[in-house]
Structures are given as structure tokens and as C-alpha cells.
Amino acid sequence: MTDVSVSSANAGLCDPVDISGHRNNKAISAATETKAGAFNVWGNSFAAEYLPAGGSIVQVDGIPFQFPPVGEGPDNIRSSGQYITVPQGRYDWIHLLAASERRTEDCMDLSFTDGSVDAEKVRISDFWGAPAWFGEVKAFESLAMHYPHHVQRGVPALMWAQRVPVTRRADLTGVLLPRNVALHIFAITLQRADGGEPR
């Protein structure tokens, strides 16, 4: 059974990343403000009532994520080639809290202190009540779909927890997201290697 809980502390070797400066899309809306959402070209959005409180630390399958603000401006990164600087350190995994306008397979570039850049696959299943095609963990499910002018009950929207490997044994410094606006990232958490502290 998936462990989805709300906690006030980070778990183990995991460090949530501050992505507040990169958020550029609003995908969560209240039932009284359905026009505020713009996850896709149809203006669909997740129903806030089914999701965690904005700004809380949520744990999905043991991984802590900083849930984005809800109802206070942009709540996710619509992927369009943003470069995200991370605390320098050695990591094993990049954990993503994400959703996709359709099933997405793309690459993100990982930059390291030795000047190397590795391209790693990022795969996210459709948000529209789809199965986990890529082995993700279902993080949250909105049991209603918001349209600009109405709430559609019985049409779920899914948010996934996925991970991207960091295979190079060097200090990671940043992540370049793909130019793929179908991919939406709500939170990023880094999992440290061998208990090492970020620098």
C-alpha cells in the first residue's frame, strides 16, 4: 500500500529543493475559482479539496516533498528548458512530484562539478485517470476535474511520484528540464548518496 502522509520533517537522506523561482503555471484550483486553473489548453485543473495543504511537507512512499502553494499564484513548473540549481552534493536519485498532459517520455540534463553532463530519461504517465505506464507511484488523486466553467465529478486527475537516477559519482550542481510543456513538476526532492551531506 502506498504511504501517503503529511509530516513536518524531512525523511532520512532526502532534501526537498526550492523551486519557487521557477513556477510558471497554475494547475490547482478551488471549486469556486475554476477559471484560475490552466493545466492544459482546455483549462483543466486539479481540485484543491482533494490535495494537501499548500506549503506542507508531504511524504509519498517514504519520500518527502514540499507541496506547492495552493491558490497563491503558480503552483508548478511547466517544463520549457528551465535550469534549476541544486545544493551541490552527491545524490542517487532525483524524485519528482509531477503530472503530464499526456504520457510523456523525455530527457533532463544533469550537470556536475567536473563539467560533465548526463542525459537521463524522465517518464510521466497521463494525468487523466491513466495507469502508471512507467512504474510511478500514484501520489494524489483529484476525484473531480475542474473545467473553466464547471466541476466535472467522476473524472479523476492524477499526480505521480517518479524518480530519475543520478549514476555519475560526482557532485551534482543543477538540472536542465526538457523543452516539453506537457510535463508539469510540482516538487523536486534529492536523495543523497551514502548519507553524504550537500555542500
Side-chain angles (χ1 to χ4, degrees):
M1 184 176 182
T2 301
D3 171 24
V4 180
S5 58
V6 179
S7 173
S8 60
N10 292 354
L13 304 175
C14 295
D15 300 303
V17 176
D18 180 7
I19 62 170
S20 57
H22 299 281
R23 296 188 188 109
N24 59 358
N25 179 259
K26 190 164 185 175
I28 303 170
S29 63
T32 55
E33 297 181 346
T34 54
K35 287 184 180 179
F39 179 79
N40 56 19
V41 295
W42 295 283
N44 291 127
S45 54
F46 290 80
E49 64 193 276
Y50 295 103
L51 302 178
S56 61
I57 296 292
V58 296
Q59 290 192 24
V60 182
D61 204 30
I63 303 300
F65 293 97
Q66 180 79 49
F67 203 75
V70 174
E72 302 174 11
D75 51 43
N76 72 94
I77 302 172
R78 193 172 200 176
S79 182
S80 57
Q82 296 92 339
Y83 183 82
I84 300 172
T85 301
V86 303
Q88 180 181 325
R90 292 201 175 187
Y91 301 98
D92 282 334
W93 296 99
I94 300 169
H95 295 274
L96 305 175
L97 189 61
S100 181
E101 295 177 36
R102 55 187 178 275
R103 194 165 66 202
T104 296
E105 295 185 72
D106 217 313
C107 287
M108 58 171 52
D109 291 341
L110 313 185
S111 296
F112 299 87
T113 51
D114 63 3
S116 56
V117 177
D118 290 346
E120 296 289 349
K121 288 285 188 183
V122 55
R123 300 176 173 94
I124 305 293
S125 296
D126 199 337
F127 86 110
W128 196 287
W133 286 96
F134 306 115
E136 308 100 318
V137 170
K138 182 170 71 174
F140 303 105
E141 182 173 7
S142 167
L143 298 179
M145 182 80 71
H146 283 182
Y147 285 76
H149 301 289
H150 73 284
V151 174
Q152 185 67 50
R153 304 288 176 187
V155 178
L158 302 176
M159 198 177 293
W160 305 98
Q162 181 60 292
R163 62 185 185 175
V164 175
V166 183
T167 58
R168 187 175 294 273
R169 297 294 85 190
D171 283 5
L172 182 71
T173 57
V175 176
L176 180 66
L177 300 181
R179 293 187 179 277
N180 188 335
V181 295
L183 173 63
H184 296 253
I185 296 174
F186 294 84
I188 298 175
T189 292
L190 301 176
Q191 183 175 336
R192 297 191 302 274
D194 303 322
E197 292 295 326
R199 290 186 267 280

